[in-house]
Amino acid sequence: MDIQEKWQEVLDDLINQVTAISYDMFIKKLIPIEIKDGKLYLKAGNSMTKQIVNNSYSFLISEALEQHFGLDEFEILDPAEYEDYIKVYEDKLKTQEKKPNPFNPKYTFENFVVGKSNQFVYSAVRSVAESPGTRFNPLFIHGGVGLGKTHLLHAIGNYILEHSPNLKVLYVTCEKFTNDYLETLQDSSKKIGQFREKYRNVDVLMVDDIQFISAKKATQEEFFHTFNDLYQNNKQIIISSDRPPKEISTLEERLVSRFSMGLIQDIQQPDFETRYVILQKKAQMENISIDNEAMAYIAENVVTNIRELEGVLSKTSFLTQLLGRNRSTVEDAKEALKNVAIEDKSRLTVEKIISEVCVYYNLTREDIIGSKRNKEIADARHICIYLISELLNMPLATIGREIFGRDHTTIMHARNKITDSLGVNERITQDVNNLKQKLQ
Ligand code: ADP
Ligand code: MG
């Protein structure tokens, strides 16, 4: 029975024991709040009511409480006390609230399949999760897209949250770090102190996809100091990237050398066996029913990217369901893979645009991305920027930061140069049209 109902029983008792006017003015207006530590808390509409009830009716109330609640203590709060009471209560609730787990619960060590391609990185990551800040600091892991870097970083987070819940772990993508920092600079209400408190007052900092670090001096400067601060205090730093530090063109030399102070470990492409086990595991986790032969077929044909491996498995299972069957066969896998191949071919990417421009002008990727200034190369670079912006609808800031390591005004300038030349400069117009045709 809930507290309100029981209180009603108390009232039903009291109504016969006090005058009608006292009942209406005082007793009836008490509101039960909660029972805590063997005591019923009641709220009164004003402090006079509280005083009168305490002076004249406390004995009656205690008796009735004893009978209906099995306790005889109570406390009446006037409105001001009630406010305080609630506030303490709310604060307590807040601190009791469990911090939400910021990590993907599926990305655990248990769900990570270890094979030849990733055994070294796995043991490094595992060791760091078990005793952060003691060995391998910083830990820099790198490997191609979809090979499990983000999975491993989340696994560290999940592990520490479970085994050392009092350690502060912060995971951010490089993009988030950059945006946080830029927002702090732009918005005067946001304090740099708060930013630093957030990034430096941690036991473990993980930055995912550091290759996207902006070429902007200020951001790298801030990151450099964050790094030093943590490092000097023996806090663990873990960085991921799609390539080794030396190959990140935007990365300042001093950061490259900082990263080299710890362990740099790569994840390689998984071999057939690992791919097969990953499929088995995934099928099991997702309750996908599939023939071994079908899994082998997928594992044989999707070799470079585990995310894609999982994608093909899902597609296969989806296709099987569409066909009204409940177990995927190798035929389904073949069909699914065919669709993926077609989608892949038609999907335009930054890399495709860059490589098409390289072929067209007989230049290298380095020429296009780099900073050589001779006219032929600069024109090709501007056209490349124009095409990326136009065909992929990619924001200029993103193109600048993630591809060329320049700020967005430089990128805008390049794009505008081409826009202004179209229909005016015959050669550029011709080149743009030819390239567009090839790409679409
Ligand atoms: P990256 O960050 O390197 O691009 P992710 O960590 O996002 O790659 O991995 C892509 C997908 O592949 C995720 O769903 C992840 O769980 C899965 N994956 C990668 N490596 C493994 C592995 N060794 N075992 C199980 N799943 C893996
Ligand atoms: Mg990732």
Side-chain angles (χ1 to χ4, degrees), residues 283 287-295 298 311-337 339:
N287 268 326
I288 291 174
S289 162
I290 178 168
D291 290 347
N292 291 344
E293 201 192 349
M295 282 194 287
I298 297 171
V312 174
L313 177 67
S314 306
K315 285 206 173 102
T316 304
S317 152
F318 182 64
L319 199 79
T320 309
Q321 283 169 33
L322 281 185
L323 295 171
R325 286 187 275 107
N326 50 26
R327 189 173 181 86
S328 299
T329 63
V330 70
E331 296 309 321
D332 301 341
K334 281 182 186 165
E335 195 56 36
L337 211 67
N339 292 341

Side-chain angles (χ1 to χ4, degrees), residues 96-200:
Q96 274 174 356
E97 257 170 42
K98 261 198 137 186
K99 272 188 259 159
N101 180 354
F103 303 109
N104 184 335
K106 284 189 185 164
Y107 289 176
T108 60
F109 287 133
E110 291 71 33
N111 291 342
F112 191 81
V113 174
V114 184
K116 267 200 212 113
S117 56
N118 57 29
Q119 56 187 353
F120 295 116
V121 90
Y122 179 82
S123 50
V125 161
R126 189 79 209 210
S127 145
V128 158
E130 281 163 13
S131 43
T134 56
R135 286 175 79 196
F136 308 142
N137 200 17
L139 174 62
F140 189 103
I141 65 177
H142 66 91
V145 178
L147 293 185
K149 301 179 297 291
T150 299
H151 184 134
L152 284 172
L153 296 190
H154 281 246
I156 296 175
N158 280 316
Y159 185 94
I160 294 179
L161 227 56
E162 187 184 344
H163 294 86
S164 328
N166 40 5
L167 290 187
K168 271 197 190 162
V169 187
L170 180 59
Y171 164 94
V172 283
T173 60
C174 182
E175 181 156 27
K176 167 92 178 118
F177 179 91
T178 308
N179 291 344
D180 258 11
Y181 179 64
L182 296 180
E183 269 171 31
T184 305
L185 294 188
Q186 276 155 15
D187 183 345
S188 58
S189 69
K190 292 202 175 119
K191 302 269 171 0
I192 187 75
Q194 280 168 7
F195 175 88
R196 291 187 178 145
E197 166 78 16
K198 173 176 172 187
Y199 283 97
R200 299 188 190 185

Side-chain angles (χ1 to χ4, degrees), residues 53-284:
V53 173
N54 275 338
N55 289 344
S56 311
Y57 305 109
S58 66
F59 179 73
L60 288 177
I61 292 177
S62 290
E63 260 194 345
L65 286 182
E66 174 83 64
Q67 201 179 334
H68 297 285
F69 281 83
L71 53 85
D72 59 2
E73 259 195 277
F74 69 93
E75 182 170 340
I76 298 176
L77 306 171
D78 67 27
E81 289 166 334
Y82 177 72
E83 291 288 307
D84 291 345
Y85 182 86
I86 289 298
K87 193 168 172 334
V88 170
Y89 195 62
E90 280 175 350
D91 286 351
K92 208 169 140 199
L93 273 184
K94 256 185 222 154
T95 55
Q96 274 174 356
E97 257 170 42
K98 261 198 137 186
K99 272 188 259 159
N101 180 354
F103 303 109
N104 184 335
K106 284 189 185 164
Y107 289 176
T108 60
F109 287 133
E110 291 71 33
N111 291 342
F112 191 81
V113 174
V114 184
K116 267 200 212 113
S117 56
N118 57 29
Q119 56 187 353
F120 295 116
V121 90
Y122 179 82
S123 50
V125 161
R126 189 79 209 210
S127 145
V128 158
E130 281 163 13
S131 43
T134 56
R135 286 175 79 196
F136 308 142
N137 200 17
L139 174 62
F140 189 103
I141 65 177
H142 66 91
V145 178
L147 293 185
K149 301 179 297 291
T150 299
H151 184 134
L152 284 172
L153 296 190
H154 281 246
I156 296 175
N158 280 316
Y159 185 94
I160 294 179
L161 227 56
E162 187 184 344
H163 294 86
S164 328
N166 40 5
L167 290 187
K168 271 197 190 162
V169 187
L170 180 59
Y171 164 94
V172 283
T173 60
C174 182
E175 181 156 27
K176 167 92 178 118
F177 179 91
T178 308
N179 291 344
D180 258 11
Y181 179 64
L182 296 180
E183 269 171 31
T184 305
L185 294 188
Q186 276 155 15
D187 183 345
S188 58
S189 69
K190 292 202 175 119
K191 302 269 171 0
I192 187 75
Q194 280 168 7
F195 175 88
R196 291 187 178 145
E197 166 78 16
K198 173 176 172 187
Y199 283 97
R200 299 188 190 185
N201 187 18
V202 297
D203 299 295
V204 180
L205 176 66
M206 299 191 263
V207 183
D208 204 356
D209 287 324
I210 196 83
Q211 75 272 11
F212 291 142
I213 193 157
S214 143
K216 274 213 184 84
K217 211 168 161 33
T219 312
Q220 297 221 8
E221 178 95 15
E222 186 61 34
F223 184 72
F224 183 70
H225 292 304
T226 305
F227 182 99
N228 287 342
D229 196 273
L230 291 169
Y231 185 77
Q232 274 154 16
N233 290 303
N234 292 321
K235 305 301 187 189
Q236 181 70 49
I237 302 152
I238 306 153
I239 311 276
S240 90
S241 163
D242 67 350
R243 65 200 92 156
K246 278 201 190 101
E247 289 173 26
I248 305 172
S249 59
T250 48
L251 197 63
E252 286 177 8
E253 194 47 49
R254 58 179 178 170
L255 275 169
V256 174
S257 84
R258 281 296 186 280
F259 294 158
S260 313
M261 297 187 312
L263 178 69
I264 299 179
Q265 186 64 59
D266 68 329
I267 310 186
Q268 285 158 4
Q269 286 179 4
D271 52 21
F272 172 79
E273 242 159 65
T274 310
R275 299 198 297 272
Y276 187 82
V277 180
I278 289 173
L279 284 174
Q280 270 183 324
K281 184 143 208 156
K282 178 89 182 170
Q284 195 187 11

